[in-house]
């Protein structure tokens, strides 16, 4: 087996495992609820915090100093 074939086989195996895990989580009600709660927390907390940091870095890089909040 070549390096390229091994890499392709590993990629397929990881994809199959991820799909299997997703199906298991979606079919198990407590895990499904937890997954939706975590997704909601990520969308309402992590993404806005990241965006805020990017805006601050861009503002600072533009040479205007710190933005007024």
């Amino acid at each position: 087996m070549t390096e390229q074939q091994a890499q392709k086989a590993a990629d397929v195996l990881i994809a199959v495992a991820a799909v299997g895990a997703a199906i298991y989580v979606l079919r198990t009600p407590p895990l499904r609820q937890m997954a939706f709660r975590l997704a909601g927390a990520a969308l309402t907390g992590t993404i806005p915090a990241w965006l805020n940091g990017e805006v601050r870095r861009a503002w600072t890089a533009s040479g205007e100093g710190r933005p007024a909040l």
Side-chain angles (χ1 to χ4, degrees):
M1 180 179 274
T2 67
E3 179 73 27
Q4 196 173 29
Q5 289 172 329
Q7 183 68 35
K8 193 171 194 174
D11 290 344
V12 168
L13 187 64
I14 290 172
V16 168
V19 169
I23 290 171
Y24 181 74
V25 167
L26 291 175
R27 287 181 171 235
T28 308
L31 294 177
R32 181 175 56 231
Q33 291 171 353
M34 182 179 66
F36 285 136
R37 285 185 187 146
L38 287 173
L43 291 174
T44 59
T46 308
I47 292 173
W50 170 80
L51 186 60
N52 186 22
E54 289 297 312
V55 169
R56 286 179 187 271
R57 279 188 284 281
W59 187 278
T60 303
S62 73
E64 296 296 321
R66 186 180 173 130
L69 295 177

